Amino acid sequence: MRDFNEKTITDAVIQRFIGAGDPRVKQVCESLVRHVHDFVRDVRPSYEEWEYAIDFLTRTGQISGPARQEFILLSDTLGVSMLVDAINNPVDGKVTQSTVLGPWFVDDAPVFELGADISGAMRGEPAFVSGKIESEDGSPLAGASVDVWHSDDDGFYDVQQLDKLGGAAGRGRFTTDNEGRYWFWTIKPTRYPVPTDGPVGEMLHGQGRHPWRPAHLHFLIRAPGHRKLVTHIFDSTDPYLDSDAVFGVKDELVRDFAEHPAGVAPDGSRREAPFATIAFDFVVAKQG
Ligand code: BEZ
Ligand code: FE
């Protein structure tokens, strides 16, 4: 076949996939071509605009590496990551809702005893974080693994400033006790902008958007026989809750940090300075 035009080219391209061995590959490629062609027919780019698009994607790849994944950030800021999350973790009313993993998770975080202080060299207001992990049938999950990580009060994660901090900080892994409980000390995190010094920053600027994420604590919870839960607890006072740059906020994940004067903390320790407390009980789904 030859002489394709604006109308006939789409089916002609899809026709070429007839020999695809894997039906899922065929289905995904067909849908991709239909949507991309419809997009191009809708937008009607000039050659200059098409070249800009190619250059934008090239730079998105070039700036990516082991320490930075601009394509994931692109997916996050276009709402694609949360759409994939919504498809794979439908809300069922019982199980704690999930949200984005983000780029700052580290799979070999330092392991701590319950009650430890994970703030390391980070400075900020002390915060006591506690709660329990339950299965969807209400039973407490003893021995569940709880990873937590968060920014400091300047909005940076430890992995963005390892030279300054001298190692992991605001990050740790715990194992729940016999009643499924976890508790630890850290510092109160703050809001922060997603990285804007690359193509995604250029895109946000072009779209007239801010890059901020509301203050949050990340959690990743693993328990035998249960689905992994990737989620956050958000600070209820944050001004960016309704305009999170990556669309990750869910109402049920928003909590108050209660403020306390110096004195006795919930774990019985005596604090010489004011501190905050926050509590969250997580419910995880059974493996389907
Ligand atoms: C984060 O919460 O760490 C994050 C998530 C998505 C993009 C950038 C940062
Ligand atoms: Fe984060």
Side-chain angles (χ1 to χ4, degrees):
M1 280 180 72
R2 307 180 181 183
D3 293 324
F4 303 111
N5 61 32
E6 210 183 289
K7 292 206 171 64
T8 60
I9 183 117
T10 304
D11 284 340
V13 174
I14 288 168
Q15 199 58 34
R16 299 276 169 98
F17 308 155
I18 199 129
D22 182 334
R24 178 67 172 161
V25 170
K26 187 161 179 277
Q27 180 202 12
V28 170
C29 291
E30 271 191 36
S31 179
L32 175 74
V33 167
R34 285 206 192 284
H35 284 89
V36 172
H37 284 210
D38 282 346
F39 168 73
V40 172
R41 275 186 285 263
D42 181 33
V43 169
R44 310 196 79 73
S46 65
Y47 265 110
E48 288 72 27
E49 288 171 334
W50 177 79
E51 280 167 13
Y52 175 82
I54 298 288
D55 180 57
F56 179 89
L57 293 173
T58 304
R59 288 184 288 117
T60 300
Q62 284 167 339
I63 205 172
S64 297
R68 174 165 187 168
Q69 232 304 350
E70 194 80 356
F71 273 112
I72 294 184
L73 190 58
L74 185 61
S75 162
D76 294 340
T77 50
L78 288 176
V80 175
S81 306
M82 284 307 294
L83 179 56
V84 173
D85 177 70
I87 289 165
N88 286 283
N89 296 298
V91 177
D92 79 341
K94 277 191 296 187
V95 170
T96 301
Q97 292 186 46
S98 52
T99 188
V100 278
L101 178 68
W104 313 123
F105 172 66
V106 171
D107 207 10
D108 58 351
V111 172
F112 288 98
E113 295 290 320
L114 289 166
D117 185 338
I118 65 166
S119 60
M122 282 181 171
R123 296 284 154 262
E125 184 190 357
F128 181 77
V129 186
S130 64
K132 57 182 190 285
I133 317 291
E134 286 175 353
S135 179
E136 58 186 298
D137 63 11
S139 54
L141 289 173
S145 158
V146 179
D147 270 90
V148 59
W149 67 106
H150 63 80
S151 67
D152 66 9
D153 67 353
D154 286 324
F156 294 106
Y157 285 78
D158 56 354
V159 288
Q160 296 175 282
Q161 43 176 348
L162 283 174
D163 287 349
K164 178 178 153 198
L165 298 177
R171 173 185 306 281
R173 179 172 295 169
F174 297 91
T175 303
T176 54
D177 73 2
N178 284 341
E179 288 162 61
R181 292 176 306 186
Y182 69 89
W183 66 97
F184 60 92
W185 283 93
T186 189
I187 57 153
K188 222 174 137 176
T190 191
R191 68 193 71 109
Y192 61 85
V194 300
T196 54
D197 57 343
V200 168
E202 188 176 303
M203 179 191 79
L204 294 176
H205 179 72
Q207 293 170 343
R209 292 167 59 186
H210 73 68
W212 291 90
R213 294 220 66 209
H216 56 271
L217 296 158
H218 290 260
F219 282 84
L220 187 152
I221 295 161
R222 291 178 264 220
H226 289 77
R227 294 188 59 187
K228 181 168 83 176
L229 174 66
V230 175
T231 195
H232 299 0
I233 310 177
F234 292 95
D235 177 349
S236 64
T237 62
D238 199 286
Y240 291 109
L241 285 172
D242 288 314
S243 62
D244 180 9
V246 305
F247 308 93
V249 179
K250 293 177 173 174
D251 240 346
E252 73 165 43
L253 303 178
V254 178
R255 285 288 183 284
D256 295 333
F257 275 96
E259 299 292 341
H260 307 272
V264 179
D267 63 350
S269 65
R270 174 159 284 284
R271 310 297 300 186
E272 302 305 331
F275 61 95
T277 55
I278 192 163
F280 200 101
D281 296 342
F282 297 94
V283 181
V284 293
K286 290 193 171 157
Q287 203 76 263

